[in-house]
Amino acid sequence: MNVILASTSTLFGGNYLEYLKDELIKLFAGIDEIVFIPFARPGGISHDEYTGKVRDFFLS
């Protein structure tokens, strides 16, 4: 099992998970499925919007 715990999804002025992208690519190389557990979400967006944002990041 591969796990990464990040205390924030976005650094000031950056895009969603941009600062972790290289590490995530290495960590999840060869992995077909990732389980996302939304512990907290940005204010003002729904659960569906947040999980969609995460899905879009990992599909790019």
Side-chain angles (χ1 to χ4, degrees):
M1 177 186 306
N2 295 332
V3 176
I4 192 161
L5 177 63
S7 64
T8 188
S9 60
T10 308
L11 296 180
F12 181 76
N15 294 317
Y16 183 77
L17 293 180
E18 178 181 56
Y19 76 104
L20 287 174
K21 189 166 188 172
D22 291 340
E23 191 63 34
L24 291 169
I25 288 169
K26 290 187 286 187
L27 183 67
F28 295 120
I31 302 297
D32 295 326
E33 183 177 69
I34 296 172
V35 175
F36 171 66
I37 301 169
F39 178 71
R41 66 177 193 261
I45 74 171
S46 71
H47 174 80
D48 289 339
E49 289 171 318
Y50 189 39
T51 54
K53 185 176 198 170
V54 174
R55 181 177 35 253
D56 292 345
F57 172 81
F58 281 101
L59 289 174
S60 66

